[in-house]
Amino acid sequence: MINEIFALRSIACLCIVFLHSIEIALRSSYLQGMGTVMVMIFDSIQVFLYFGTPVFIFISELIIAYSYRNRAIPENFLNKRFKFIFIPFIFMAFFYSLPYAVSFTDWGTKFLLNVFIGDYHGYFVLIIFQFYLLHLFLHKYLQQANPRTMILLSFGINIAYLALFNLTASPFSNPVMMYLWDRFYWIPFFGWIFYFTLGYYCGYYYEEFKQWVVKNRVPIIIAPVVSTFLLLFFYHNDMLLVHSSKRVDILLHTVAIIFIIMYLGQKLKVVPPFLVSISQYSFGIYLIHVFYLHAVDTLVRLSGLSFGTSYIFILFLISVFASIYTIKLANRWKFGQFIVGKLGVGAKGKDSDESGPGQNSSSSENGLRPKT
C-alpha cells in the first residue's frame, strides 16, 4: 500500500469540494453579506485550490505505473474501469442534464454535451480514459525512455498548449467554435500530459522517488510558498485571469503541492481514518457533491437566510457528508456502484485498484522494484 496516496487523494478531493463551495457562495455573496475583503480572500483561496483535479490525474497514473511495473496489464484493464468509472460518468451526465429538460431538444443537447465533451464537472473522467489508453500504448516505451527527457518534453508540450488558450483570445466569431475554443480545450490530453508523465515515473521508480523527496525536503517545503505567491501575483495583477485548473502556472503549483504532501505523508506512522474514508469515497464525492451544493444554495436563496462567510463552510460540510451518505446507501444496492462509483480500497487493502480513478492497488507485487 502507498499510504501517502490516501492523504494526497483525500486532500485533493476535499479541496475540489471546498473550491466549488467558495464558487457557489461568492455568486450570492451580496445576499450573504460578505464584505469586499472577504470576497477577495476567498477568491484567492479558490485560485490556490485549483490543484485538485491535476492531482487526481497524477495519482491515477502513479498507481497504475506502480501496480503493473513487474506484471502484465490484465486483459480486463479497460473493462473494469469502464464499468466502475465510465458508466457512473454517463449516469451523472444524464442526472446533471435534467435541469435543462424544458424541452427534449434542450435536454438532449445538454446530455450529449455532458457525455462527449465533458460539459459538466465530471469532465475529469474523459481525461482519465485518454491516459488509460496512453498507458496501454506507451508504457513499454516509457520504461525504456529517459525519465528526465520525457518529463521535460511533456512539460514543454503542456505549457505551450495551455499558453495558447490562456493568453490568446478566440479567433472565431461563430458561437459554436467560440464555445469549443473556450471550453473544449480542457478535454484533450495535451492539457494534462505533464501530470501523466510525472505520475508514471514517480510510480515506476517509487522507492527512488520517496528517497528523492526526503533528500530535497528543504526546497520541497519552500516550493508551495513560492508557487502560491506567483499564482496570486499573476492573478491579482491581471497578468493571468483564467479562473480554473487549466492555468499555465498551476503546473508548477500542483507539483509543489504534490511533493509537500508526499513528504509529510511519509511522516505519518498511521494514516488517519478520516483521510482513509474520504479517499475511499473520493470518486463518488467528486461526482455527487455539486448536486448538494446547488440544492442547499437553492433552499437558502428561497428561505432568504444569510450566513455571511460561514455559508462557505456550511455548503462544504453538508455536501461532503451528504455525498458520503448517498454513496454508502447506493453501494448497498448491487447496481449502486454503477451509479455513484465503487468504494475505493481501505487501509488494509480490501479492494482492487479498479474501484475508481487512482485508487490504491492491493497487489502483493506492489513492493517489488522495477526490473531496470
Side-chain angles (χ1 to χ4, degrees):
M1 300 301 297
I2 304 178
N3 287 331
E4 299 93 314
I5 295 299
F6 286 117
L8 189 60
R9 188 188 300 109
S10 58
I11 290 172
C13 175
L14 293 176
C15 285
I16 288 172
V17 179
F18 194 61
L19 76 86
H20 287 159
S21 300
I22 294 173
E23 180 182 4
I24 295 294
L26 292 187
R27 287 179 185 174
S28 59
S29 59
Y30 66 97
L31 295 176
Q32 296 300 322
M34 296 184 195
T36 304
V37 174
M38 294 308 300
V39 168
M40 185 182 71
I41 290 174
F42 279 100
D43 183 47
S44 300
I45 292 173
Q46 188 180 15
V47 174
F48 167 82
L49 295 175
Y50 278 127
F51 63 81
T53 298
V55 166
F56 270 109
I57 293 170
F58 170 85
I59 292 172
S60 183
E61 183 55 27
L62 182 150
I63 292 296
I64 293 172
Y66 182 68
S67 300
Y68 298 113
R69 55 187 182 173
N70 284 317
R71 58 188 175 119
I73 297 176
E75 293 183 0
N76 64 353
F77 178 82
L78 287 178
N79 181 48
K80 285 191 175 182
R81 284 164 173 78
F82 181 83
K83 289 194 300 184
F84 299 125
I85 301 173
F86 202 77
I87 290 180
F89 163 78
I90 293 175
F91 180 86
M92 288 296 164
F94 166 77
F95 179 70
Y96 285 108
S97 70
L98 293 178
Y100 297 81
V102 292
S103 71
F104 182 79
T105 301
D106 290 343
W107 166 78
T109 300
K110 178 59 176 174
F111 175 64
L112 292 176
L113 288 173
N114 284 354
V115 171
F116 291 105
I117 66 172
D119 196 38
Y120 79 111
H121 65 279
Y123 70 90
F124 158 77
V125 173
L126 294 179
I127 300 165
I128 284 294
F129 266 83
Q130 292 176 71
F131 287 127
Y132 289 158
L133 293 173
L134 279 181
H135 184 92
L136 290 175
F137 293 136
L138 298 179
H139 74 279
K140 291 184 179 179
Y141 172 77
L142 292 174
Q143 289 175 8
Q144 304 299 322
N146 182 288
R148 182 174 298 179
T149 300
M150 297 306 298
I151 289 173
L152 289 176
L153 177 62
S154 64
F155 180 72
I157 293 172
N158 216 146
I159 283 280
Y161 181 83
L162 291 181
L164 173 65
F165 293 97
N166 281 187
L167 305 176
T168 60
S170 172
F172 306 104
S173 57
N174 180 279
V176 174
M177 295 305 297
M178 288 180 66
Y179 172 83
L180 292 176
W181 176 272
D182 293 334
R183 179 66 173 78
F184 184 67
Y185 83 91
W186 299 5
I187 304 302
F189 66 84
F190 300 107
W192 314 86
I193 188 68
F194 172 62
Y195 308 116
F196 166 82
T197 309
L198 184 67
Y200 177 86
Y201 286 113
C202 288
Y204 192 73
Y205 298 106
Y206 189 69
E207 290 74 20
E208 289 84 348
F209 171 55
K210 289 182 66 176
Q211 294 172 7
W212 181 88
V213 167
V214 174
K215 182 180 179 181
N216 294 275
R217 58 187 176 275
V218 174
I220 283 174
I221 292 171
I222 296 173
V225 178
V226 175
S227 68
T228 300
F229 170 79
L230 293 174
L231 191 74
L232 296 180
F233 177 81
F234 294 146
Y235 178 66
H236 287 295
N237 284 279
D238 298 336
M239 299 170 68
L240 192 58
L241 293 175
V242 177
H243 220 306
S244 78
S245 57
K246 280 66 67 178
R247 294 172 57 98
V248 171
D249 49 4
I250 285 290
L251 286 165
L252 292 178
H253 179 62
T254 298
V255 173
I257 298 297
I258 288 171
F259 286 177
I260 187 66
I261 294 176
M262 295 297 283
Y263 170 70
L264 296 175
Q266 292 186 47
K267 301 296 182 181
L268 296 175
K269 295 182 179 179
V270 178
V271 182
F274 173 72
L275 293 181
V276 175
S277 295
I278 295 297
S279 177
Q280 287 183 282
Y281 288 95
S282 60
F283 182 49
I285 292 173
Y286 188 95
L287 292 177
I288 301 171
H289 77 278
V290 172
F291 164 73
Y292 285 111
L293 287 176
H294 284 286
V296 172
D297 189 54
T298 299
L299 292 174
V300 170
R301 285 172 177 269
L302 291 174
S303 68
L305 295 174
S306 179
F307 298 98
T309 304
S310 63
Y311 186 47
I312 294 171
F313 301 95
I314 292 170
L315 287 169
F316 172 73
L317 292 173
I318 292 177
S319 62
V320 168
F321 288 105
S323 296
I324 290 174
Y325 187 68
T326 302
I327 298 162
K328 187 176 293 187
L329 287 178
N331 271 265
R332 292 178 181 176
W333 179 43
K334 64 179 180 178
F335 297 111
Q337 59 193 351
F338 302 115
I339 297 175
V340 298
K342 190 177 180 182
L343 288 183
V345 64
K348 295 182 180 180
K350 293 182 179 180
D351 209 338
S352 69
D353 67 321
E354 275 81 7
S355 53
Q359 297 294 351
N360 286 14
S361 171
S362 57
S363 167
S364 60
E365 293 192 27
N366 284 352
L368 298 178
R369 295 170 61 82
K371 298 175 181 177
T372 59

